[in-house]
Amino acid sequence: MTTLTATRPLDLLADFPAIPQGWAYLDTAATAQKPRPVIDAIDRAYAETYATVHRGVYQRSADMTLAYEAARKKVARFIGAGSADEIVFVRGATEGINLVAQCWAREQLTAGDRILLSTLEHHSNIVPWQMAAERVGAAIDVIPLTPDHRIDLDAMAAMITPAHKLVALAHVSNVLGSLLDARCAADIAHSVGAKILLDGCQAVPRMAVDVAALDCDFYVFSGHKLYGPTGIGVLWARPELLEAMPPYQGGGSMIDRVTFAKTTYAPPPGRFEAGTPHIVGALGLHAAIDYVERIGLDAIHAHETALVAKTREALSQINSVTLYGPEDSAGIVSFSIEGVHPHDIGTILDEERVAIRAGHHCAQPLMEALGVPATARASFGVYNGAADVDALVRGIERVTRIFG
């Protein structure tokens, strides 16, 4: 693969076999395309080295167990965890949030407690907390946005009370690209004794994340947005929180000893990984992290920042286009065109070989706050370049001519 520095644009399209020449894939916030090293790692695991983990006494199983646990160690180093035992493999960020909602919130919250969310959260960072709150009699409060569509931390500081036991916020918005000052949010949460969970799905592929420096209590992300496979994700939590949490599911691998009279459970993270894990998914995630680290997160952030700036500048020249989110949005540009439904924008752009996302982006409360039913969203990855922005702008100009 090609490795470039942050001083010039990335040129990595050749690493992604599923992106044909002339197709502008601008839906990375939904799921990232996969580079050849990740595809090769998955193929090799299934075709050459596959075996179960944690159970077999034969050599191949032992080797695969070592590879699986090496992936856990890789993730721990990647996000600054203190130990690999703080890393729980889950199916994705959604399952990670649900695990915390079921195993921490429903155990720790009582009637009268409060949960603090923000207006821009993904449904996966809303619905699990609603379910937990309904179960225990807790209530949910919502932090508004600033005029430039960031989570209003001043409002958060004014709203939060000792009754708030949990804060759950997106590190980067999947719709607006708004970057949260996560350390400030953590300080506000901890000032009243609340725990804070960060949804890192859009942050981890774009910037360096250090959970210790952020001082958060829980952090989740999905592998498929990090150029890895689907079906694998990560929950990080402080070890004392994991130790106090009951199991999420029952079955194999999460036990210490089983009798019909009583079952005792394995220590974390095994306690939360019932059943045969997504072995090859973990290996693919390892390869994806290796790939991203070879490029460099600083280089990725600089590259996407330049593409966002170019896109926002070009779209701001089209009178019928409304842009959402801050000027320095992280890898994501959401917009609407006056008089045109975003689905029509997406359909016409597809005819121009430009793939974007159109809809509510699993953020219906945010759409309501913005006063629109949906937006169009272009989101960038390491494989995108200036030509993709040019194709997007040409396509939008065609949309305005058709509906003008």
Side-chain angles (χ1 to χ4, degrees):
M1 61 158 278
T2 306
T3 302
L4 297 174
T5 68
T7 59
R8 58 195 177 102
L10 300 179
D11 183 16
L12 301 171
L13 184 60
D15 290 344
F16 293 84
I19 304 180
Q21 189 70 32
W23 185 53
Y25 180 75
L26 301 177
D27 197 21
T28 300
T31 194
Q33 296 289 333
K34 315 309 171 195
R36 176 57 67 185
V38 171
I39 296 169
D40 289 346
I42 293 170
D43 180 71
R44 188 164 53 250
Y46 277 127
E48 300 176 14
T49 64
Y50 186 73
T52 191
V53 296
H54 298 151
R55 297 184 178 93
V57 296
Y58 51 95
Q59 188 59 50
R60 181 180 285 193
S61 177
D63 292 343
M64 187 58 92
T65 298
L66 289 174
Y68 180 76
E69 292 303 329
R72 196 189 306 274
K73 293 176 183 176
K74 183 69 174 184
V75 171
R77 290 192 296 271
F78 183 60
I79 63 170
S83 166
D85 290 342
E86 299 167 14
I87 301 300
V88 179
F89 283 132
V90 288
R91 290 179 297 169
T94 297
E95 184 175 50
I97 294 170
N98 274 274
L99 193 159
V100 177
Q102 296 292 321
C103 302
W104 186 86
R106 281 175 53 166
E107 293 290 320
Q108 298 295 324
L109 302 185
T110 59
D113 287 341
R114 308 189 76 85
I115 298 169
L116 193 56
L117 310 177
S118 86
T119 302
L120 57 68
E121 299 309 315
H122 189 283
H123 295 164
S124 292
N125 204 24
I126 299 174
V127 179
W129 309 119
Q130 289 176 327
M131 295 168 67
E134 289 169 1
R135 183 67 176 265
V136 302
I140 291 176
D141 297 309
V142 182
I143 308 166
L145 303 182
T146 61
D148 65 345
H149 299 155
R150 304 176 195 271
I151 297 173
D152 190 335
L153 294 181
D154 289 337
M156 176 186 172
M159 293 172 63
I160 201 164
T161 71
H164 288 97
K165 305 302 182 187
L166 177 74
V167 178
L169 302 174
H171 197 172
V172 170
S173 166
N174 74 302
V175 178
L176 304 170
S178 312
L179 173 62
L180 174 71
D181 184 340
R183 179 55 190 258
C184 180
D187 289 345
I188 295 169
H190 293 156
S191 72
V192 297
K195 307 300 184 202
I196 183 167
L197 176 143
L198 297 175
D199 171 1
C201 282
Q202 303 298 336
V204 165
R206 295 185 164 87
M207 60 195 67
V209 170
D210 184 330
V211 293
L214 295 176
D215 199 28
C216 55
D217 301 289
F218 303 97
Y219 200 96
V220 299
F221 67 91
S222 293
H224 70 99
K225 298 181 194 294
L226 183 62
Y227 306 98
T230 56
I232 189 74
V234 170
L235 162 66
W236 170 85
R238 294 182 185 275
E240 66 272 18
L241 297 177
L242 287 177
E243 189 62 45
M245 288 161 55
Y248 181 48
Q249 297 174 319
S253 295
M254 50 74 69
I255 59 91
D256 172 37
R257 177 173 171 75
V258 176
T259 70
F260 282 112
K262 181 179 177 59
T263 293
T264 55
Y265 306 119
R271 180 186 303 170
F272 305 104
E273 296 181 5
T276 301
H278 189 6
I279 302 165
V280 176
L283 273 59
L285 178 58
H286 190 159
I289 294 173
D290 282 343
Y291 181 81
V292 165
E293 289 184 330
R294 283 196 296 270
I295 301 167
L297 284 161
D298 288 345
I300 292 171
H301 183 63
H303 178 71
E304 293 188 359
T305 296
L307 293 176
V308 164
K310 178 179 173 66
T311 302
R312 292 185 70 94
E313 171 62 24
L315 296 187
S316 69
Q317 305 304 310
I318 303 174
N319 290 334
S320 58
V321 171
T322 298
L323 290 165
Y324 304 98
E327 290 292 326
D328 61 348
S329 57
I332 296 170
V333 178
S334 278
F335 61 94
S336 62
I337 301 177
E338 184 179 356
V340 187
H341 195 282
H343 288 170
D344 293 324
I345 300 172
T347 298
I348 294 170
L349 287 176
D350 187 41
E351 294 172 356
E352 298 294 312
R353 304 196 72 199
V354 178
I356 65 162
R357 178 57 61 94
H360 56 65
H361 316 294
C362 295
Q364 288 176 312
L366 174 58
M367 296 297 109
E368 183 177 354
L370 296 176
V372 295
T375 69
R377 181 188 71 189
S379 53
F380 299 101
V382 298
Y383 30 68
N384 294 123
D388 296 323
V389 177
D390 293 340
L392 171 68
V393 174
R394 286 195 303 270
I396 291 172
E397 289 172 342
R398 181 182 174 219
V399 172
T400 61
R401 289 195 299 271
I402 291 172
F403 286 89

